[in-house]
PDB file of all heavy atoms in Angstrom:
ATOM      1  N   LYS B 138      20.938 -21.782  -7.031  1.00  0.00           N
ATOM      2  CA  LYS B 138      20.777 -20.570  -6.480  1.00  0.00           C
ATOM      3  C   LYS B 138      22.184 -20.134  -5.675  1.00  0.00           C
ATOM      4  O   LYS B 138      22.973 -20.961  -5.556  1.00  0.00           O
ATOM      5  CB  LYS B 138      19.832 -20.627  -5.272  1.00  0.00           C
ATOM      6  CG  LYS B 138      18.367 -20.888  -5.881  1.00  0.00           C
ATOM      7  CD  LYS B 138      17.334 -20.753  -4.771  1.00  0.00           C
ATOM      8  CE  LYS B 138      15.882 -20.803  -5.380  1.00  0.00           C
ATOM      9  NZ  LYS B 138      14.873 -21.045  -4.329  1.00  0.00           N
ATOM     10  N   TYR B 139      22.219 -18.890  -5.302  1.00  0.00           N
ATOM     11  CA  TYR B 139      23.266 -18.370  -4.557  1.00  0.00           C
ATOM     12  C   TYR B 139      22.918 -18.578  -3.012  1.00  0.00           C
ATOM     13  O   TYR B 139      21.778 -18.522  -2.756  1.00  0.00           O
ATOM     14  CB  TYR B 139      23.622 -16.989  -4.909  1.00  0.00           C
ATOM     15  CG  TYR B 139      24.392 -16.865  -6.133  1.00  0.00           C
ATOM     16  CD1 TYR B 139      23.674 -16.677  -7.359  1.00  0.00           C
ATOM     17  CD2 TYR B 139      25.741 -16.862  -6.165  1.00  0.00           C
ATOM     18  CE1 TYR B 139      24.366 -16.512  -8.581  1.00  0.00           C
ATOM     19  CE2 TYR B 139      26.325 -16.862  -7.353  1.00  0.00           C
ATOM     20  CZ  TYR B 139      25.683 -16.630  -8.579  1.00  0.00           C
ATOM     21  OH  TYR B 139      26.422 -16.564  -9.840  1.00  0.00           O
ATOM     22  N   PRO B 140      24.003 -18.721  -2.198  1.00  0.00           N
ATOM     23  CA  PRO B 140      23.701 -19.139  -0.768  1.00  0.00           C
ATOM     24  C   PRO B 140      22.737 -17.949  -0.136  1.00  0.00           C
ATOM     25  O   PRO B 140      22.013 -18.484   0.647  1.00  0.00           O
ATOM     26  CB  PRO B 140      25.006 -19.121  -0.213  1.00  0.00           C
ATOM     27  CG  PRO B 140      26.027 -19.516  -1.320  1.00  0.00           C
ATOM     28  CD  PRO B 140      25.451 -19.019  -2.478  1.00  0.00           C
ATOM     29  N   ALA B 141      22.887 -16.771  -0.416  1.00  0.00           N
ATOM     30  CA  ALA B 141      22.135 -15.687   0.149  1.00  0.00           C
ATOM     31  C   ALA B 141      20.752 -15.896   0.009  1.00  0.00           C
ATOM     32  O   ALA B 141      19.823 -15.395   0.728  1.00  0.00           O
ATOM     33  CB  ALA B 141      22.698 -14.430  -0.396  1.00  0.00           C
ATOM     34  N   ALA B 142      20.280 -16.756  -1.061  1.00  0.00           N
ATOM     35  CA  ALA B 142      18.913 -16.812  -1.400  1.00  0.00           C
ATOM     36  C   ALA B 142      18.301 -17.999  -0.462  1.00  0.00           C
ATOM     37  O   ALA B 142      17.058 -18.252  -0.555  1.00  0.00           O
ATOM     38  CB  ALA B 142      18.674 -17.142  -2.825  1.00  0.00           C
ATOM     39  N   LEU B 143      19.145 -18.668   0.353  1.00  0.00           N
ATOM     40  CA  LEU B 143      18.744 -19.780   1.024  1.00  0.00           C
ATOM     41  C   LEU B 143      18.465 -19.509   2.502  1.00  0.00           C
ATOM     42  O   LEU B 143      19.110 -18.512   3.098  1.00  0.00           O
ATOM     43  CB  LEU B 143      19.660 -21.018   0.857  1.00  0.00           C
ATOM     44  CG  LEU B 143      19.718 -21.996  -0.126  1.00  0.00           C
ATOM     45  CD1 LEU B 143      19.567 -21.244  -1.513  1.00  0.00           C
ATOM     46  CD2 LEU B 143      20.834 -22.931  -0.192  1.00  0.00           C
ATOM     47  N   SER B 144      17.647 -20.236   3.131  1.00  0.00           N
ATOM     48  CA  SER B 144      17.414 -20.108   4.713  1.00  0.00           C
ATOM     49  C   SER B 144      18.719 -20.457   5.369  1.00  0.00           C
ATOM     50  O   SER B 144      19.481 -21.359   4.774  1.00  0.00           O
ATOM     51  CB  SER B 144      16.201 -20.815   5.101  1.00  0.00           C
ATOM     52  OG  SER B 144      16.468 -22.142   5.247  1.00  0.00           O
ATOM     53  N   GLY B 145      18.870 -20.170   6.665  1.00  0.00           N
ATOM     54  CA  GLY B 145      19.987 -20.649   7.453  1.00  0.00           C
ATOM     55  C   GLY B 145      20.064 -22.231   7.481  1.00  0.00           C
ATOM     56  O   GLY B 145      21.212 -22.799   7.290  1.00  0.00           O
ATOM     57  N   GLY B 146      18.956 -22.828   7.664  1.00  0.00           N
ATOM     58  CA  GLY B 146      19.030 -24.331   7.714  1.00  0.00           C
ATOM     59  C   GLY B 146      19.411 -24.991   6.350  1.00  0.00           C
ATOM     60  O   GLY B 146      20.206 -25.916   6.431  1.00  0.00           O
ATOM     61  N   GLN B 147      18.943 -24.422   5.317  1.00  0.00           N
ATOM     62  CA  GLN B 147      19.369 -24.767   4.023  1.00  0.00           C
ATOM     63  C   GLN B 147      20.871 -24.577   3.808  1.00  0.00           C
ATOM     64  O   GLN B 147      21.602 -25.497   3.183  1.00  0.00           O
ATOM     65  CB  GLN B 147      18.521 -24.118   2.885  1.00  0.00           C
ATOM     66  CG  GLN B 147      17.043 -24.500   2.892  1.00  0.00           C
ATOM     67  CD  GLN B 147      16.271 -23.837   1.862  1.00  0.00           C
ATOM     68  OE1 GLN B 147      16.516 -22.590   1.717  1.00  0.00           O
ATOM     69  NE2 GLN B 147      15.281 -24.336   1.321  1.00  0.00           N
ATOM     70  N   GLN B 148      21.283 -23.401   4.109  1.00  0.00           N
ATOM     71  CA  GLN B 148      22.756 -23.056   3.944  1.00  0.00           C
ATOM     72  C   GLN B 148      23.667 -24.135   4.767  1.00  0.00           C
ATOM     73  O   GLN B 148      24.618 -24.551   4.178  1.00  0.00           O
ATOM     74  CB  GLN B 148      22.976 -21.616   4.398  1.00  0.00           C
ATOM     75  CG  GLN B 148      22.530 -20.679   3.551  1.00  0.00           C
ATOM     76  CD  GLN B 148      23.060 -19.202   3.913  1.00  0.00           C
ATOM     77  OE1 GLN B 148      24.120 -19.166   4.127  1.00  0.00           O
ATOM     78  NE2 GLN B 148      22.237 -18.265   4.048  1.00  0.00           N
ATOM     79  N   GLN B 149      23.246 -24.404   5.968  1.00  0.00           N
ATOM     80  CA  GLN B 149      23.887 -25.353   6.696  1.00  0.00           C
ATOM     81  C   GLN B 149      24.018 -26.705   6.100  1.00  0.00           C
ATOM     82  O   GLN B 149      25.008 -27.392   6.056  1.00  0.00           O
ATOM     83  CB  GLN B 149      23.508 -25.302   8.218  1.00  0.00           C
ATOM     84  CG  GLN B 149      24.431 -26.013   9.122  1.00  0.00           C
ATOM     85  CD  GLN B 149      25.809 -25.285   9.220  1.00  0.00           C
ATOM     86  OE1 GLN B 149      26.509 -25.271   8.327  1.00  0.00           O
ATOM     87  NE2 GLN B 149      26.194 -24.883  10.397  1.00  0.00           N
ATOM     88  N   ARG B 150      22.775 -27.131   5.508  1.00  0.00           N
ATOM     89  CA  ARG B 150      22.792 -28.537   4.791  1.00  0.00           C
ATOM     90  C   ARG B 150      23.766 -28.401   3.611  1.00  0.00           C
ATOM     91  O   ARG B 150      24.403 -29.404   3.284  1.00  0.00           O
ATOM     92  CB  ARG B 150      21.319 -28.810   4.418  1.00  0.00           C
ATOM     93  CG  ARG B 150      20.603 -29.246   5.668  1.00  0.00           C
ATOM     94  CD  ARG B 150      19.232 -29.734   5.578  1.00  0.00           C
ATOM     95  NE  ARG B 150      18.363 -28.624   5.207  1.00  0.00           N
ATOM     96  CZ  ARG B 150      17.345 -28.734   4.360  1.00  0.00           C
ATOM     97  NH1 ARG B 150      16.979 -29.781   3.737  1.00  0.00           N
ATOM     98  NH2 ARG B 150      16.522 -27.736   4.284  1.00  0.00           N
ATOM     99  N   VAL B 151      23.720 -27.320   2.797  1.00  0.00           N
ATOM    100  CA  VAL B 151      24.675 -27.029   1.834  1.00  0.00           C
ATOM    101  C   VAL B 151      26.094 -27.322   2.290  1.00  0.00           C
ATOM    102  O   VAL B 151      26.992 -27.992   1.677  1.00  0.00           O
ATOM    103  CB  VAL B 151      24.528 -25.811   1.010  1.00  0.00           C
ATOM    104  CG1 VAL B 151      25.569 -25.631  -0.038  1.00  0.00           C
ATOM    105  CG2 VAL B 151      23.169 -25.704   0.314  1.00  0.00           C
ATOM    106  N   ALA B 152      26.327 -26.608   3.417  1.00  0.00           N
ATOM    107  CA  ALA B 152      27.656 -26.721   3.935  1.00  0.00           C
ATOM    108  C   ALA B 152      28.108 -28.260   4.349  1.00  0.00           C
ATOM    109  O   ALA B 152      29.260 -28.608   4.103  1.00  0.00           O
ATOM    110  CB  ALA B 152      27.822 -25.795   5.225  1.00  0.00           C
ATOM    111  N   ILE B 153      27.178 -28.978   4.866  1.00  0.00           N
ATOM    112  CA  ILE B 153      27.336 -30.444   5.085  1.00  0.00           C
ATOM    113  C   ILE B 153      27.789 -31.118   3.818  1.00  0.00           C
ATOM    114  O   ILE B 153      28.605 -31.869   3.730  1.00  0.00           O
ATOM    115  CB  ILE B 153      26.169 -31.028   5.848  1.00  0.00           C
ATOM    116  CG1 ILE B 153      26.020 -30.351   7.212  1.00  0.00           C
ATOM    117  CG2 ILE B 153      26.385 -32.503   5.986  1.00  0.00           C
ATOM    118  CD1 ILE B 153      24.947 -30.783   8.095  1.00  0.00           C
ATOM    119  N   ALA B 154      26.847 -30.819   2.817  1.00  0.00           N
ATOM    120  CA  ALA B 154      27.071 -31.591   1.512  1.00  0.00           C
ATOM    121  C   ALA B 154      28.388 -31.090   0.877  1.00  0.00           C
ATOM    122  O   ALA B 154      29.082 -31.960   0.294  1.00  0.00           O
ATOM    123  CB  ALA B 154      25.847 -31.148   0.516  1.00  0.00           C
ATOM    124  N   ARG B 155      28.896 -29.795   1.107  1.00  0.00           N
ATOM    125  CA  ARG B 155      30.113 -29.541   0.605  1.00  0.00           C
ATOM    126  C   ARG B 155      31.268 -30.347   1.274  1.00  0.00           C
ATOM    127  O   ARG B 155      32.282 -30.739   0.429  1.00  0.00           O
ATOM    128  CB  ARG B 155      30.404 -27.850   0.851  1.00  0.00           C
ATOM    129  CG  ARG B 155      31.749 -27.470   0.484  1.00  0.00           C
ATOM    130  CD  ARG B 155      31.843 -25.975   0.632  1.00  0.00           C
ATOM    131  NE  ARG B 155      31.965 -25.617   1.960  1.00  0.00           N
ATOM    132  CZ  ARG B 155      31.975 -24.393   2.386  1.00  0.00           C
ATOM    133  NH1 ARG B 155      32.001 -23.305   1.540  1.00  0.00           N
ATOM    134  NH2 ARG B 155      32.045 -23.997   3.776  1.00  0.00           N
ATOM    135  N   SER B 156      31.223 -30.551   2.432  1.00  0.00           N
ATOM    136  CA  SER B 156      32.147 -31.400   3.121  1.00  0.00           C
ATOM    137  C   SER B 156      32.131 -32.908   2.425  1.00  0.00           C
ATOM    138  O   SER B 156      33.132 -33.589   2.359  1.00  0.00           O
ATOM    139  CB  SER B 156      32.038 -31.445   4.591  1.00  0.00           C
ATOM    140  OG  SER B 156      32.256 -30.144   5.119  1.00  0.00           O
ATOM    141  N   LEU B 157      30.840 -33.301   2.363  1.00  0.00           N
ATOM    142  CA  LEU B 157      30.691 -34.719   1.990  1.00  0.00           C
ATOM    143  C   LEU B 157      31.207 -34.828   0.552  1.00  0.00           C
ATOM    144  O   LEU B 157      31.749 -35.949   0.265  1.00  0.00           O
ATOM    145  CB  LEU B 157      29.219 -35.060   1.827  1.00  0.00           C
ATOM    146  CG  LEU B 157      28.501 -35.101   3.378  1.00  0.00           C
ATOM    147  CD1 LEU B 157      27.016 -35.389   3.257  1.00  0.00           C
ATOM    148  CD2 LEU B 157      29.114 -36.286   4.156  1.00  0.00           C
ATOM    149  N   CYS B 158      31.142 -33.794  -0.344  1.00  0.00           N
ATOM    150  CA  CYS B 158      31.544 -33.864  -1.669  1.00  0.00           C
ATOM    151  C   CYS B 158      33.002 -34.156  -1.820  1.00  0.00           C
ATOM    152  O   CYS B 158      33.672 -34.594  -2.756  1.00  0.00           O
ATOM    153  CB  CYS B 158      31.295 -32.586  -2.432  1.00  0.00           C
ATOM    154  SG  CYS B 158      29.597 -32.582  -2.970  1.00  0.00           S
ATOM    155  N   MET B 159      33.834 -33.899  -0.640  1.00  0.00           N
ATOM    156  CA  MET B 159      35.231 -34.040  -0.698  1.00  0.00           C
ATOM    157  C   MET B 159      35.511 -35.549  -0.251  1.00  0.00           C
ATOM    158  O   MET B 159      36.632 -36.083  -0.281  1.00  0.00           O
ATOM    159  CB  MET B 159      35.965 -33.177   0.268  1.00  0.00           C
ATOM    160  CG  MET B 159      35.972 -31.653  -0.012  1.00  0.00           C
ATOM    161  SD  MET B 159      36.825 -31.411  -1.647  1.00  0.00           S
ATOM    162  CE  MET B 159      38.525 -31.632  -1.202  1.00  0.00           C
ATOM    163  N   GLU B 160      34.421 -36.321  -0.108  1.00  0.00           N
ATOM    164  CA  GLU B 160      34.622 -37.661   0.319  1.00  0.00           C
ATOM    165  C   GLU B 160      35.381 -37.818   1.585  1.00  0.00           C
ATOM    166  O   GLU B 160      36.298 -38.611   1.488  1.00  0.00           O
ATOM    167  CB  GLU B 160      35.115 -38.597  -0.933  1.00  0.00           C
ATOM    168  CG  GLU B 160      34.440 -38.416  -2.289  1.00  0.00           C
ATOM    169  CD  GLU B 160      33.056 -39.015  -2.333  1.00  0.00           C
ATOM    170  OE1 GLU B 160      32.608 -39.612  -1.274  1.00  0.00           O
ATOM    171  OE2 GLU B 160      32.520 -38.982  -3.385  1.00  0.00           O
ATOM    172  N   SER B 161      35.259 -37.044   2.521  1.00  0.00           N
ATOM    173  CA  SER B 161      36.098 -37.033   3.835  1.00  0.00           C
ATOM    174  C   SER B 161      35.705 -38.300   4.540  1.00  0.00           C
ATOM    175  O   SER B 161      34.539 -38.781   4.389  1.00  0.00           O
ATOM    176  CB  SER B 161      35.698 -35.777   4.571  1.00  0.00           C
ATOM    177  OG  SER B 161      35.769 -34.576   3.883  1.00  0.00           O
ATOM    178  N   ARG B 162      36.552 -38.689   5.347  1.00  0.00           N
ATOM    179  CA  ARG B 162      36.294 -39.895   6.190  1.00  0.00           C
ATOM    180  C   ARG B 162      36.024 -39.500   7.639  1.00  0.00           C
ATOM    181  O   ARG B 162      35.567 -40.213   8.441  1.00  0.00           O
ATOM    182  CB  ARG B 162      37.536 -40.788   6.050  1.00  0.00           C
ATOM    183  CG  ARG B 162      37.821 -41.324   4.769  1.00  0.00           C
ATOM    184  CD  ARG B 162      39.083 -42.178   4.671  1.00  0.00           C
ATOM    185  NE  ARG B 162      39.157 -43.123   5.569  1.00  0.00           N
ATOM    186  CZ  ARG B 162      40.326 -43.259   6.090  1.00  0.00           C
ATOM    187  NH1 ARG B 162      41.404 -42.754   5.805  1.00  0.00           N
ATOM    188  NH2 ARG B 162      40.510 -44.321   6.965  1.00  0.00           N
ATOM    189  N   ILE B 163      36.372 -38.202   7.915  1.00  0.00           N
ATOM    190  CA  ILE B 163      36.003 -37.788   9.197  1.00  0.00           C
ATOM    191  C   ILE B 163      35.361 -36.428   9.000  1.00  0.00           C
ATOM    192  O   ILE B 163      35.609 -35.575   8.222  1.00  0.00           O
ATOM    193  CB  ILE B 163      37.348 -37.354   9.986  1.00  0.00           C
ATOM    194  CG1 ILE B 163      38.190 -38.543   9.989  1.00  0.00           C
ATOM    195  CG2 ILE B 163      37.105 -36.761  11.420  1.00  0.00           C
ATOM    196  CD1 ILE B 163      39.614 -38.351  10.603  1.00  0.00           C
ATOM    197  N   MET B 164      34.269 -36.249   9.786  1.00  0.00           N
ATOM    198  CA  MET B 164      33.511 -34.857   9.749  1.00  0.00           C
ATOM    199  C   MET B 164      33.563 -34.232  11.161  1.00  0.00           C
ATOM    200  O   MET B 164      33.226 -34.886  12.136  1.00  0.00           O
ATOM    201  CB  MET B 164      32.111 -35.095   9.417  1.00  0.00           C
ATOM    202  CG  MET B 164      31.851 -35.476   7.935  1.00  0.00           C
ATOM    203  SD  MET B 164      31.988 -34.129   6.929  1.00  0.00           S
ATOM    204  CE  MET B 164      30.332 -33.521   6.919  1.00  0.00           C
TER     205      MET B 164
END
Side-chain angles (χ1 to χ4, degrees):
Chain B
K138 290 193 182 162
Y139 283 91
L143 271 54
S144 74
Q147 291 173 326
Q148 290 193 44
Q149 194 60 298
R150 285 185 281 151
V151 173
I153 293 173
R155 177 173 67 183
S156 292
L157 292 175
C158 280
M159 291 301 289
E160 310 285 4
S161 310
R162 297 168 56 214
I163 303 170
M164 288 282 277

